[in-house]
């Protein structure tokens, strides 16, 4: 008998305790020794909305996350907002999800050491990146995978069924689209499980799907009941569809339509760069005309370009992203040699690859975080599929140990660059706060990177910040203008400069406008730092950084 085959001999209570303790301890150690950050400013803004620092008071309107989670965060922030509860809730979701995954591993392994080794391997392969690059979309994926893991691998206990349904529904509350993509990606597994399984599994899945759809319908109805938010969601959706359409990237392609709308080339670049505060020029009706134009371009282009070569290149591009799960499955197959399992897991990996390839070919850019969603599910699936048949030995343990050590080293190196970026942005952030104080100041995301700050920092966006980007038109912003000025509009002043080493301060609007005119066409498409000021504000300075 080797150390890898020592029986668990654990009571039910001990299994639950160990399943909760090991993942939580792993995450706490990770957060203690490694630097983390948010991937995008979306999470920073949602944290600032739920805490009330950006919205004026805690709010449940998080836009991308269901209002039910928004209500929970709003309630706890009304008690105290000195802690970034949004970040805490994301990391607690990771901890609970990893505990469920570890519990499933423990149920399907004959040895505690074997289950722990498999867990640490999966943690190093996928979850380390998700903890370091914190993001609500990938957090939703981890919760969804945990729920599906319990659905596939759990025992037939009512408590496990309830927890499985809860995690799948909770995943959809964090981000609905993520859960839909997960369910589509795991169709082969669901089909096999339901084909050979009990009626109880079908009932559990039906309840989970009902919960997912019911919560999403409730969320839609909640936003529709408020006219301001209903209009904003319509505007934000069509704005996103245009800006993410690759046929909108070239001004010449849509020049004729833009001229009909009295858009200059500068207006095009401003919209493309998420700076569109003029409600007349960038109205919903105007965006609708542009959307129809770029959508027609997409259809025409697909008819010309969709051939074997583009399909092949798109498939290879996505396939390369999934090299980790393929490598893991082939490695485990070397110690298992069960052809049926091998073919099954490769088919399960190919399903999300084909889905993502189709999206890419249809003109919907597949972002890295979307690929990560499927990487989480396929990697965990690889381990679950093989864990019962693989007999661990010292060779596998050494290989797993080397891989874990290498992954931690890479993560530590990445943490150094995160720390460097954080230090630079903390200095810029402090300077902006000192310069603007309580003057209503329109800030582009290019001025500093809020996502580079510590994810545990609370109230990053104070109330006097007016953030451009997808938040242009959000009801909170119009409320700010009324509170700070008598003007119903903000002035679309763009402080553009390639260099981040200098700062210009202007006391005269004329002086600033002359400067902007000389910089706009030359520098804007390259990506710059910008700070804006509200029209009709009685005090304040114009800053270009």
């Amino acid at each position: 008998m080797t150390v890898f085959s020592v029986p668990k001999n654990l009571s039910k209570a001990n299994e639950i305790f160990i399943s909760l303790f090991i993942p939580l301890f792993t995450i706490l150690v990770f957060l203690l020794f490694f630097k983390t950050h948010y991937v995008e400013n979306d999470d920073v803004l949602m944290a600032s909305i739920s805490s009330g620092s950006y919205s004026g008071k805690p709010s449940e309107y998080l836009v991308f996350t269901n209002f039910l989670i928004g209500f929970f965060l709003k309630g706890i922030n009304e008690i105290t907002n000195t802690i970034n509860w949004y970040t805490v809730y994301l990391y607690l979701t990771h901890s609970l999800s990893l505990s469920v995954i570890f519990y499933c591993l423990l149920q399907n392994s004959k040895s505690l050491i074997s289950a722990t080794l498999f867990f640490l391997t999966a943690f190093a392969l996928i979850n380390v990146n998700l903890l370091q690059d914190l993001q609500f979309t990938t957090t939703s994926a981890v919760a969804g995978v945990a729920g599906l893991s319990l659905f596939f691998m759990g025992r037939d206990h009512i408590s496990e069924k309830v927890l499985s349904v809860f995690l799948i529904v909770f995943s959809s509350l964090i981000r609905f689209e993520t859960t839909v993509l997960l369910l589509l990606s795991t169709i082969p597994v669901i089909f096999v499980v339901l084909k050979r399984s009990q009626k109880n599994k079908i009932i559990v899945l039906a309840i989970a799907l009902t919960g997912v759809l019911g919560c999403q319908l409730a969320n839609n109805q909640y936003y529709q009941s408020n006219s301001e938010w209903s209009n904003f969601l319509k505007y934000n959706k069509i704005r996103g569809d245009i800006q993410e359409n690759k046929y909108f990237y070239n001004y010449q392609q849509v020049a004729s339509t833009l001229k009909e709308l009295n858009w200059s080339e500068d207006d095009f670049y401003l919209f493309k760069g998420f700076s569109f505060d003029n409600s007349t020029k960038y109205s919903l009706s105007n965006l609708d005309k542009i959307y129809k134009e770029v959508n027609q371009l997409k259809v025409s282009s697909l008819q010309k370009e969709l051939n074997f070569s583009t399909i092949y290149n798109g498939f290879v591009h996505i396939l390369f992203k999934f090299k980790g799960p393929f490598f893991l499955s082939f490695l485990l197959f070397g110690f298992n040699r069960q052809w049926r399992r091998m073919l099954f897991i490769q088919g399960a990996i190919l399903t999300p690859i084909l889905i993502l390839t189709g999206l890419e070919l249809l003109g919907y850019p597949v972002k890295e975080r979307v690929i990560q969603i499927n990487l989480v599910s396929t990697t965990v699936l690889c381990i679950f599929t093989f864990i019962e048949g693989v007999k661990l030995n010292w060779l596998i343990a050494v290989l797993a140990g080397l891989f874990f050590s290498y992954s931690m080293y890479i993560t530590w190196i990445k943490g150094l660059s995160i720390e460097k970026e954080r230090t630079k942005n903390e200095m810029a952030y402090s300077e902006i706060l000192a310069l603007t104080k309580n003057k209503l100041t329109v800030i582009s995301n290019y001025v500093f990177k809020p996502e580079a700050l510590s994810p545990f920092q609370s109230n990053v966006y104070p109330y006097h910040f007016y953030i451009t980007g997808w938040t242009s038109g959000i009801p909170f912003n119009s409320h700010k203008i009324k509170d700070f000025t008598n003007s119903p509009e903000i002035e679309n002043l763009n402080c553009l400069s390639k260099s981040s080493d200098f700062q210009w301060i202007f006391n005269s609007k004329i002086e600033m406008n002359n400067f902007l005119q000389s910089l706009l066409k030359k520098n804007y498409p390259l990506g710059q730092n910008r700070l804006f000021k509200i029209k009709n504000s009685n005090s304040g300075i114009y800053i270009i950084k």
Side-chain angles (χ1 to χ4, degrees):
M1 179 181 292
T2 67
V3 68
F4 303 108
S5 58
V6 175
K8 289 180 293 188
N9 293 327
L10 297 172
S11 65
K12 178 74 172 179
N14 284 337
E15 281 186 350
I16 294 174
F17 174 77
I18 291 172
S19 297
L20 290 170
F21 175 76
I22 290 181
L24 178 60
F25 179 76
T26 304
I27 290 176
L28 290 175
V29 170
F30 179 83
L31 293 177
L32 185 63
F33 291 101
F34 295 90
K35 298 295 181 182
T36 63
H37 67 158
Y38 279 121
V39 179
E40 296 183 347
N41 76 317
D42 295 353
D43 290 279
V44 182
L45 191 55
M46 286 195 286
S48 296
I49 290 172
S50 64
S51 72
S53 63
Y54 184 76
S55 48
K57 59 182 180 180
S59 174
E60 69 276 19
Y61 289 102
L62 304 185
V63 182
F64 300 115
T65 292
N66 195 287
F67 79 100
L68 295 173
I69 290 180
F71 263 122
F72 169 76
L73 292 173
K74 173 185 175 181
I76 200 168
N77 273 293
E78 285 176 339
I79 299 172
T80 175
N81 66 353
T82 55
I83 297 173
N84 191 333
W85 293 111
Y86 181 88
T87 297
V88 172
Y89 121 79
L90 289 185
Y91 276 124
L92 284 178
T93 300
H94 274 275
S95 180
L96 174 62
S97 302
L98 291 178
S99 293
V100 169
I101 290 172
F102 186 83
Y103 175 80
C104 292
L105 287 168
L106 204 55
Q107 296 303 307
N108 290 275
S109 176
K110 297 178 180 179
S111 164
L112 173 61
I113 294 177
S114 298
T116 304
L117 189 63
F118 272 118
F119 170 76
L120 292 176
T121 302
F123 180 84
L125 184 64
I126 288 294
N127 210 260
V128 150
N129 293 327
L130 305 187
L131 289 174
Q132 189 168 49
D133 299 335
L134 192 60
Q135 215 267 343
F136 74 106
T137 300
T138 51
T139 302
S140 171
V142 176
V145 167
L148 289 170
S149 299
L150 201 56
F151 171 75
F152 295 139
M153 305 295 170
R155 293 175 294 195
D156 204 23
H157 293 170
I158 185 65
S159 59
E160 293 183 3
K161 294 174 183 176
V162 170
L163 184 56
S164 173
V165 170
F166 169 77
L167 285 168
I168 294 172
V169 174
F170 190 70
S171 167
S172 73
L173 295 181
I174 301 173
R175 184 147 202 183
F176 174 73
E177 294 83 0
T178 299
T179 310
V180 172
L181 188 57
L182 277 176
L183 292 170
L184 288 174
S185 300
T186 52
I187 282 175
V189 194
I190 293 173
F191 177 76
V192 171
V193 169
L194 296 183
K195 184 178 179 181
R196 68 186 185 191
S197 192
Q198 327 83 330
K199 184 169 65 174
N200 289 341
K201 291 281 187 182
I202 300 176
I203 295 173
V204 171
L205 185 60
I207 293 173
L209 291 176
T210 302
V212 168
L213 295 175
C215 288
Q216 183 60 19
L217 287 173
N219 187 65
N220 292 341
Q221 185 60 39
Y222 188 77
Y223 276 84
Q224 291 298 323
S225 64
N226 185 309
S227 58
E228 278 189 314
W229 283 101
S230 176
N231 292 333
F232 170 71
L233 287 187
K234 292 175 185 175
Y235 186 89
N236 197 46
K237 184 181 185 307
I238 196 167
R239 185 274 312 161
D241 289 341
I242 293 171
Q243 288 179 326
E244 293 183 4
N245 193 311
K246 64 181 181 181
Y247 301 100
F248 183 72
Y249 291 175
N250 189 331
Y251 171 76
Q252 297 303 327
Q253 286 182 301
V254 290
S256 59
T257 301
L258 296 182
K259 287 177 181 177
E260 290 177 9
L261 301 175
N262 294 320
W263 280 30
S264 66
E265 188 171 352
D266 288 347
D267 293 327
F268 167 79
Y269 283 123
L270 290 173
F271 181 79
K272 183 180 170 184
F274 289 88
S275 177
F276 42 96
D277 299 303
N278 188 317
S279 60
T280 302
K281 185 162 289 187
Y282 304 108
S283 65
L284 182 61
S285 59
N286 284 353
L287 294 193
D288 186 56
K289 293 175 183 177
I290 295 171
Y291 171 74
K292 291 176 181 177
E293 173 69 17
V294 295
N295 202 47
Q296 184 58 44
L297 286 171
K298 181 171 71 173
V299 172
S300 301
S301 180
L302 282 174
Q303 293 173 345
K304 297 175 183 177
E305 298 175 5
L306 200 58
N307 51 45
F308 176 79
S309 177
T310 56
I311 294 173
Y312 173 78
N313 291 334
F315 179 79
V316 171
H317 167 69
I318 300 297
L319 181 65
F320 179 77
K321 300 286 187 178
F322 280 75
K323 57 185 180 294
F326 269 117
F327 169 77
L328 180 62
S329 62
F330 277 111
L331 177 66
L332 291 174
F333 177 68
F335 298 97
N336 188 292
R337 301 188 185 282
Q338 294 186 23
W339 281 101
R340 290 182 64 185
R341 292 192 176 200
M342 183 63 179
L343 292 173
F344 170 70
I345 193 64
Q346 300 304 348
I349 294 174
L350 281 172
T351 300
I353 292 174
L354 291 172
I355 292 172
L356 296 179
T357 301
L359 290 173
E360 187 82 34
L361 292 173
L362 291 173
Y364 300 98
V366 178
K367 299 177 181 179
E368 191 65 32
R369 62 177 178 267
V370 177
I371 293 174
Q372 285 180 322
I373 293 169
N374 290 278
L375 285 176
V376 173
S377 59
T378 50
T379 301
V380 173
L381 188 61
C382 283
I383 293 177
F384 278 146
T385 304
F386 285 94
I387 189 170
E388 290 184 272
V390 175
K391 294 182 179 180
L392 290 182
N393 54 43
W394 284 107
L395 176 59
I396 298 180
V398 170
L399 288 173
L402 289 173
F403 178 80
F404 182 83
S405 300
Y406 173 75
S407 178
M408 292 299 102
Y409 171 74
I410 295 299
T411 304
W412 180 73
I413 293 296
K414 182 180 177 181
L416 296 178
S417 64
I418 289 175
E419 185 174 21
K420 183 178 179 181
E421 186 74 8
R422 179 178 299 171
T423 301
K424 182 177 71 173
N425 280 277
E426 282 176 346
M427 292 175 62
Y429 179 62
S430 299
E431 184 179 5
I432 290 168
L433 285 178
L435 287 168
T436 61
K437 294 186 179 177
N438 290 321
K439 306 182 188 76
L440 184 56
T441 309
V442 185
I443 297 185
S444 163
N445 299 326
Y446 297 109
V447 177
F448 76 104
K449 293 181 179 179
E451 63 271 22
L453 305 179
S454 169
F456 288 99
Q457 183 170 336
S458 59
N459 304 329
V460 171
Y461 285 138
Y463 188 60
H464 69 277
F465 278 18
Y466 183 114
I467 308 301
T468 62
W470 62 264
T471 53
S472 295
I474 200 169
F476 300 129
N477 286 356
S478 59
H479 299 163
K480 289 174 188 284
I481 295 174
K482 293 177 183 177
D483 288 346
F484 279 87
T485 74
N486 295 320
S487 171
E489 292 279 347
I490 67 167
E491 190 161 354
N492 214 341
L493 298 178
N494 298 275
C495 308
L496 310 173
S497 170
K498 281 197 304 180
S499 173
S500 59
D501 299 323
F502 300 92
Q503 172 175 294
W504 293 268
I505 299 179
F506 299 88
N507 291 316
S508 163
K509 184 188 294 185
I510 296 175
E511 183 184 6
M512 182 178 184
N513 283 340
N514 290 338
F515 182 83
L516 296 177
Q517 288 298 321
S518 66
L519 285 178
L520 187 57
K521 288 186 179 178
K522 180 179 178 182
N523 291 328
Y524 187 84
L526 302 179
Q528 303 75 29
N529 303 309
R530 304 172 303 205
L531 191 63
F532 302 77
K533 178 184 174 297
I534 293 296
K535 183 171 70 175
N536 291 345
S537 179
N538 296 322
S539 61
I541 56 177
Y542 298 91
I543 306 163
I544 298 181
K545 264 192 70 65

